[in-house]
Amino acid sequence: MPVQSEWFGDKFEEMFAKAIGQELVKSAKILRRNLSTVLATTGKSPPSSPKGTDIPYNRTGTLARSWHASARATRRSGKLTAGVGTNVLYAWDLIHRADSGKRNYMNENLYWYQKTSSMILKRLEPQRLIKSATRNFRF
């Protein structure tokens, strides 16, 4: 009995890339939402954070409200990316503070950062992506 098989590798690769793009966009939205929440619920500045404390401060609530996530993933040089950004000029200074008495919001030891990272990693698990890619796979 002859067996005939067909290879749908190109179609699977296309669907897999689409699934990754969708999950990247959802991950960007998770980061945007969680970053906005942590910035909106922290103390207001001035003053700067006391030395040696983990209490972050920000200047205004404008930074918390200004974040946006990209609506779709883009492919450049074979890499899929989805972005999170803001139009507030002092955002980088507030989020990546490193000098004495200031707080780095993107510190890997912070609970919100760890929780957000785990939420994003769950979205990007290979088995989840494969299941998502093959869910609507038509022959």
Side-chain angles (χ1 to χ4, degrees):
M1 171 181 233
V3 176
Q4 184 180 14
S5 64
E6 294 183 50
W7 176 249
F8 293 101
D10 293 337
K11 185 168 178 139
F12 174 76
E13 188 175 324
E14 178 186 330
M15 297 298 285
F16 191 68
K18 184 178 177 181
I20 292 172
Q22 290 171 344
E23 295 302 324
L24 282 174
V25 169
K26 291 176 184 176
S27 296
K29 289 178 182 178
I30 289 171
L31 177 60
R32 184 210 53 82
R33 182 191 66 226
N34 290 358
L35 183 56
S36 291
T37 301
V38 76
L39 288 170
T41 58
T42 57
K44 302 299 179 201
S45 185
S48 62
S49 302
K51 284 189 177 184
T53 184
D54 286 340
I55 302 170
Y57 285 87
N58 58 23
R59 292 186 193 159
T60 70
T62 304
L63 180 62
R65 294 185 303 271
S66 69
W67 292 94
H68 60 276
S70 57
R72 66 183 93 103
T74 57
R75 182 181 285 221
R76 290 186 193 140
S77 304
K79 295 181 181 181
L80 282 168
T81 59
V84 175
T86 181
N87 60 356
V88 175
L89 298 176
Y90 59 89
W92 183 259
D93 181 47
L94 288 174
I95 290 177
H96 290 280
R97 293 177 177 190
D99 55 335
S100 177
K102 295 186 178 179
R103 179 58 183 272
N104 178 0
Y105 285 94
M106 301 304 279
N107 185 330
E108 295 176 4
N109 296 323
L110 296 175
Y111 175 75
W112 87 268
Y113 187 93
Q114 293 172 354
K115 183 70 173 168
T116 301
S117 294
S118 69
M119 291 170 73
I120 291 171
L121 288 174
K122 283 181 184 178
R123 292 214 77 85
L124 299 174
E125 285 178 345
Q127 290 299 324
R128 178 187 174 98
L129 293 171
I130 291 169
K131 186 176 180 180
S132 178
T134 57
R135 184 176 300 129
N136 296 321
F137 201 78
R138 302 278 189 251
F139 297 104

